Amino acid sequence: MTLMQTPPRDRSPVLTSLEPWDDALIEEAIARELDRGGQVFFVHNRIETIVGVADHVQRVAPRARIAVAHGQMPERALEEVMHRFVSGVVDVLVSTMIVESGLDVPNANTMFVNRADHFGLAQLYQLRGRVGRSHRRAHCYLLVPDIMDLDAERRLRVLEHHTELGAGYRIALRDMEMRGAGNLLGPEQSGFVQAVGFDLYLRLLDETVHHLVSGNAAPKLVLADVNMDVPHHLPDDYVASQDAKLDIYRRISKLDSVGDLEALRDEMRDRFGPLPPPAAATLALAELRLSGGALGVESILVRGDEARITFHDSAVPRMKGLSAAFHEVQFQAEVRRARPLSLKLTRLGGASILDGLARAMRSLV
């Protein structure tokens, strides 16, 4: 299978944020885009209320030139609105899903998707593709209510985590994992694999075979899913041998304790010298997966000087201990959701975001 993973020249990943409706946020984002001479998509997929939403956006951003577009408009009127937006006469296009595909406006690099929890993962990925089509940094804001369906939140987290260019294939795999791929061992189009997810099904199958062969019934640690915007790999000028590099990657993937990770870190320093930042980040990611899994963490997203930690629904973390650990490394912890617990961390000083996060979580295990 061939994958196209090289983006067009000068393209940057679209910064994707999951946010509640906030007039101040909308005003600031639209003002920032207009100040740099750009345009904005505002997607609201309800025709009966789209004019009211457009009026509200106009009150929030009074200097913006706003137009409405939806599929029930007369053909000529819709064509006129789209032509005005493409030509730059309209600053903010409030529209339904009709902008999902077939529209190339390089000057539009900010998008809002209202009630993003009502959209499918493929739809949101297509929508996000309408921005970021030039050299400018693009932003996509997924506006959601404070309380939403757990499946919807999982879909949105996938999009928030996978912002790198060429992430479509990984998003498609996660979509299949969440929705299920049918019964691999029979003719059914649904079944056990659909209930637990593709990736978990394969892990369960592998563990069951291992237990039957070895007789070892000890439960296996479920690692946390970690995504970061920091380069994490083994540079060629650090590990020149491809065989050695593959061996280290293989050993990292099979780590099951922080002690084994520290031993590997010492070995790498002894064999190849001090760790460059990408190699150190690779080991930090592995440590976060291990310590996060031990604490019942489902996912960790690191972006700039901020991080978001989401626990499994079955986890019972102690908020007092978490607050103390993050305070010790000069992180501000903000509860974004109580059940399952989701924390937003902001680095205030001290060590880097990765080092501080690893130290805090290591102290909690």
Side-chain angles (χ1 to χ4, degrees), residues 172-336:
L173 287 179
R174 290 301 304 271
D175 191 30
M176 182 176 69
E177 176 188 337
M178 289 186 295
R179 294 194 297 166
N183 190 340
L184 299 181
L185 305 179
E188 294 85 356
Q189 295 297 308
S190 61
F192 182 62
V193 63
Q194 186 183 43
V196 300
F198 181 66
D199 182 63
L200 179 57
Y201 179 82
L202 292 181
R203 274 187 276 157
L204 289 173
L205 185 62
D206 179 66
E207 289 174 17
T208 302
V209 172
H210 176 74
H211 292 163
L212 289 174
V213 171
S214 65
N216 178 18
K220 187 177 179 180
L221 178 68
V222 178
L223 303 179
D225 180 24
V226 181
N227 287 276
M228 60 177 67
D229 62 356
V230 178
H232 48 284
H233 61 277
L234 300 178
D236 291 338
D237 56 359
Y238 181 62
V239 182
S241 169
Q242 295 300 313
D243 290 339
K245 187 179 296 186
L246 289 173
D247 178 63
I248 293 174
Y249 280 132
R250 179 187 59 78
R251 291 169 63 186
I252 289 175
S253 69
K254 293 183 178 297
L255 290 171
D256 55 11
S257 73
V258 176
D260 292 341
L261 176 67
E262 291 299 329
L264 178 59
R265 180 183 279 116
D266 292 340
E267 179 186 333
M268 290 173 61
R269 286 174 177 153
D270 183 56
R271 291 175 61 187
F272 308 109
L275 274 67
T282 300
L283 296 183
L285 184 145
E287 181 173 353
L288 290 177
R289 295 186 71 204
L290 288 167
S291 56
L295 294 171
V297 172
E298 181 179 24
S299 65
I300 300 174
L301 172 64
V302 180
R303 183 182 295 161
D305 279 340
E306 294 184 348
R308 185 168 296 181
I309 299 179
T310 303
F311 287 81
H312 286 287
D313 191 43
S314 57
V316 188
R318 294 184 301 169
M319 193 59 210
K320 184 177 180 180
L322 291 171
S323 298
F326 292 129
H327 179 75
E328 182 68 23
V329 294
Q330 300 183 46
F331 283 7
Q332 176 183 321
E334 176 187 349
V335 177
R336 298 301 297 267

Side-chain angles (χ1 to χ4, degrees), residues 96-126:
T96 56
M97 283 284 296
I98 60 172
V99 299
E100 179 182 8
S101 59
L103 196 61
D104 184 13
V105 187
N107 197 45
N109 287 292
T110 295
M111 170 175 281
F112 293 91
V113 182
N114 190 27
R115 289 310 301 263
D117 54 311
H118 289 169
F119 291 81
L121 193 52
Q123 290 176 311
L124 290 170
Y125 180 69
Q126 283 290 103

